[in-house]
Amino acid sequence: MSTFQDLNLNTPLFNALDDLGFTQPTPIQEQAFNVVASGKDVVGIAQTGTGKTFAYMLPILKNLKFSKQDNPRILVLVPTRELVVQVVEEIEKLAKYINVRVLGVYGGVNINTQKMAVAQGLDIIVATPGRLYDLAVSRVLQLKSIQKVVIDEVDVMLDLGFRHQLMNIFDILPERRQNIMFSATMTQDVDELITDFFIAPERVSIAVSGTPLENISQSKYRVPNFYTKLNLLKHLLNDTETFNKVLIFVANKKMADRLFEALDETFHDELCVIHSNKTQNYRLRSIEQFREGFNRILVATDVMARGLDIDNVSHVINFDTPDFPENYMHRIGRTGRAEREGQALIFSTEKEQEALSNIETLMQMEIPLKEIPETVSISTELIEDEREVIKERNNPLRRKKDEEVGPAFHEKKDKNKKENLGGSYKFKIAKKYKKPKTRGDKNYNKRNKKK
Ligand code: AMP
């Protein structure tokens, strides 16, 4: 275990940490420090509560020189106003002995007050995407000096539908900048954002343990399609005594709504749902109803269910098979807490077999297979996502539905590693004739005569 002394911090930061009573960096702080300090693009996978705010703020503050200029140099984007407030507070704690100006801005409040605050000059701006963009468009806020952009809780941000706003912001930021991103979960959306906008990012994460808790017993079902999954789920849920507190996971909000509607008829009073299109109040109420046992069944997405702290979950049901094996570990960790026995079930279709085997590889175990009970009817009906799509012709850019997206953090392909030297033909010819073979270079002879 290292201490903050090993991170070679400066005295003001060290003293601030000392005042807070923090002596040891958390694992994500330890891992992220040098990577963030190096200036490379960084993707950090860490949940709230792991010390992730200091993980990016410590190296940033260490390297931030005092400046009199008024335009901010550091931009931190977060999904909610609560988080703006929280991150500003954390930065202020850490910057107690540093002369640094920090401002938090978010939507839903008077923009003019914020414009005046911006005009006072600042070093670090913490913002929700919409308000940041509005301030930038109004030209009160100048982003030309931004050197580092942190996007925190990017999974939540994308889940809330902020992708478009992030694109707009990227467009007006200086091209030469360091991108730092933190996400609690890996999702397809996050993966795509990284591929599109990050340059060879370094990944730091607290390795998700591939060893499931011993008191969680797991089983898998091979199920042909959505409606058969639904029949099987209903069959299991009918056993109210065994399935007395059930958390059901699906990959996205569309699926959450679909499943919720499909179950609502049979389990109306026992059912609740959380995903990002529901209001905060609705989500809090759902969680409370489930926690207190008024509702027996909660349908949730990966992004929204993280950080859920609910005891006595009897079963975690993976209605779909997560693409990222870490998400499976997070999901099943919601049961079997506090030494109690927990059950984790996973439903996989033919298409999901590969994701399933990735999970089994991570755990280094095969999940025991259970047969679908005979009373469960096998449906042949397909939902639109399962039907063969008619392929759009002649569109090479379109990603096919089942096309492998590839690992999130890949090296550039060899052919993309080449530097563009201004056209290979020109170089080949130049080499062959030992002089540029360009028709228009009238000065060529003049230049060479002088030599
Ligand atoms: P975060 O994951 O950034 O939301 O941080 C969670 C909490 O942990 C915050 O209240 C931090 O002040 C606190 N914290 C951050 N770093 C450390 C540390 N090295 N030791 C103890 N607590 C910490």
Side-chain angles (χ1 to χ4, degrees):
M1 239 311 171
S2 66
T3 65
F4 280 119
Q5 236 130 15
D6 303 326
L7 294 184
N8 222 347
L9 296 169
N10 51 27
T11 317
L13 281 174
F14 194 76
N15 288 346
L17 287 166
D18 200 39
D19 287 358
L20 289 166
F22 300 166
T23 49
Q24 283 182 335
T26 64
I28 194 73
Q29 289 165 1
E30 200 176 331
Q31 277 194 51
F33 192 83
N34 286 327
V35 188
V36 174
S38 75
K40 284 189 211 146
D41 281 4
V42 184
V43 173
I45 303 290
Q47 310 217 346
T48 304
T50 53
K52 69 187 166 65
T53 318
F54 284 9
Y56 58 77
M57 245 20 255
L58 274 167
I60 288 180
L61 285 175
K62 188 192 164 195
N63 293 330
L64 192 68
K65 305 271 176 304
F66 174 77
S67 162
K68 277 193 183 148
Q69 76 146 330
D70 286 341
N71 298 327
R73 288 169 290 156
I74 309 293
L75 167 64
V76 183
L77 291 167
V78 300
T80 61
R81 62 188 281 175
E82 290 82 8
L83 208 56
V84 170
V85 174
Q86 197 182 311
V87 169
V88 169
E89 277 173 10
E90 290 279 292
I91 298 175
E92 280 170 349
K93 281 190 223 161
L94 206 52
K96 194 171 166 190
Y97 302 109
I98 306 174
N99 201 345
V100 60
R101 298 157 299 173
V102 186
L103 179 69
V105 292
Y106 42 78
V109 293
N110 191 328
I111 195 167
N112 290 323
T113 327
Q114 292 177 353
K115 281 183 184 169
M116 285 191 294
V118 169
Q120 304 279 312
L122 68 164
D123 300 296
I124 302 178
I125 184 159
V126 184
T128 48
R131 183 48 61 98
L132 182 98
Y133 191 69
D134 291 346
L135 285 166
V137 167
S138 81
R139 303 202 154 261
V140 175
L141 176 68
Q142 295 283 336
L143 298 178
K144 59 183 180 216
S145 307
I146 296 288
Q147 299 159 353
K148 294 172 196 295
V149 182
V150 180
I151 315 168
D152 201 354
E153 304 217 346
V154 73
D155 48 352
V156 178
M157 225 182 259
L158 295 176
D159 210 41
L160 291 171
F162 285 162
R163 184 181 162 95
H164 194 68
Q165 308 215 12
L166 286 177
M167 305 292 96
N168 287 341
I169 294 170
F170 287 163
D171 268 352
I172 51 173
L173 285 173
E175 245 174 71
R176 260 179 67 93
R177 59 169 198 262
Q178 182 185 14
N179 297 305
I180 301 158
M181 182 187 103
F182 273 82
S183 183
T185 39
M186 213 37 216
T187 64
Q188 286 302 350
D189 288 349
V190 175
D191 188 33
E192 274 173 29
L193 189 84
I194 297 166
T195 322
D196 290 350
F197 291 95
F198 282 53
I199 303 163
E202 291 251 345
R203 183 178 182 167
V204 286
S205 59
I206 313 165
V208 175
S209 161
T211 322
L213 295 174
E214 269 171 23
N215 44 342
I216 301 175
S217 76
Q218 305 177 64
S219 8
K220 67 182 173 192
Y221 289 89
R222 278 191 87 138
V223 195
N225 49 37
F226 175 86
Y227 282 109
T228 313
K229 282 183 177 182
L230 185 63
N231 294 343
L232 172 61
L233 180 64
K234 283 181 172 170
H235 168 86
L236 297 169
L237 291 175
N238 276 332
D239 179 357
T240 49
E241 213 167 294
T242 316
F243 288 76
N244 57 58
K245 199 166 190 176
V246 186
L247 185 49
I248 305 171
F249 278 104
V250 288
N252 54 50
K253 50 197 164 201
K254 187 172 151 203
M255 234 3 185
D257 276 334
R258 189 194 291 276
L259 185 59
F260 181 78
E261 276 162 32
L263 290 174
D264 196 39
E265 204 180 308
T266 325
F267 302 101
H268 182 73
D269 292 333
E270 304 175 285
L271 185 66
C272 50
V273 61
I274 47 167
H275 64 65
S276 58
N277 269 9
K278 301 288 178 194
T279 61
Q280 175 120 342
N281 277 341
Y282 184 101
R283 295 200 300 254
L284 290 176
R285 198 169 55 235
S286 288
I287 292 166
E288 217 35 52
Q289 303 256 61
F290 182 62
R291 175 178 286 132
E292 298 300 325
F294 298 122
N295 289 142
R296 179 167 66 100
I297 307 156
L298 176 63
V299 177
T301 57
D302 288 302
V303 176
M304 282 298 134
R306 79 206 161 73
L308 269 190
D309 188 18
I310 294 172
D311 285 336
N312 300 334
V313 171
S314 67
H315 293 76
V316 164
I317 299 181
N318 296 270
F319 190 79
D320 56 25
T321 305
D323 281 334
F324 299 93
E326 294 87 349
N327 290 357
Y328 178 78
M329 305 311 295
H330 286 308
R331 286 175 174 193
I332 69 168
R334 307 285 157 200
T335 185
R337 291 159 87 98
E339 310 290 310
R340 288 205 172 77
E341 284 291 310
Q343 304 273 337
L345 316 180
I346 182 162
F347 299 174
S348 313
T349 60
E350 190 57 44
K351 265 191 180 169
E352 292 173 318
Q353 289 309 307
E354 194 180 332
L356 177 66
S357 78
N358 289 341
I359 292 167
E360 293 182 328
T361 309
L362 175 70
M363 296 193 294
Q364 294 183 322
M365 67 168 273
E366 203 178 321
I367 304 171
L369 180 71
K370 278 207 173 151
E371 293 301 324
I372 302 177
E374 276 177 10
T375 45
V376 173
S377 68
I378 307 292
S379 174
T380 50
E381 198 184 334
L382 298 177
I383 57 170
E384 78 230 18
D385 296 354
E386 292 169 336
R387 287 185 211 129
E388 270 300 313
V389 272
I390 300 162
K391 301 254 163 64
E392 210 178 294
R393 279 194 291 166
N394 302 334
N395 184 354
L397 294 176
R398 193 183 154 95
R399 202 181 247 172
K400 287 192 210 93
K401 249 199 150 170
D402 48 2
E403 192 173 82
E404 260 253 63
V405 179
F409 307 93
H410 52 75
E411 282 257 312
K412 277 187 179 174
K413 288 201 178 113
D414 276 346
K415 70 179 168 66
N416 293 335
K417 278 185 187 159
K418 281 187 204 150
E419 254 181 277
N420 186 350
L421 299 173
S424 58
Y425 173 76
K426 204 167 134 191
F427 274 80
K428 265 187 223 148
I429 295 296
K431 208 169 162 196
K432 194 167 168 190
Y433 296 100
K434 310 236 171 24
K435 63 175 186 178
K437 185 93 173 160
T438 52
R439 265 184 264 159
D441 190 359
K442 297 199 184 92
N443 296 325
Y444 179 75
N445 290 333
K446 255 194 256 167
R447 255 200 326 264
N448 283 283
K449 247 184 240 163
K450 275 182 200 159
K451 276 183 193 167

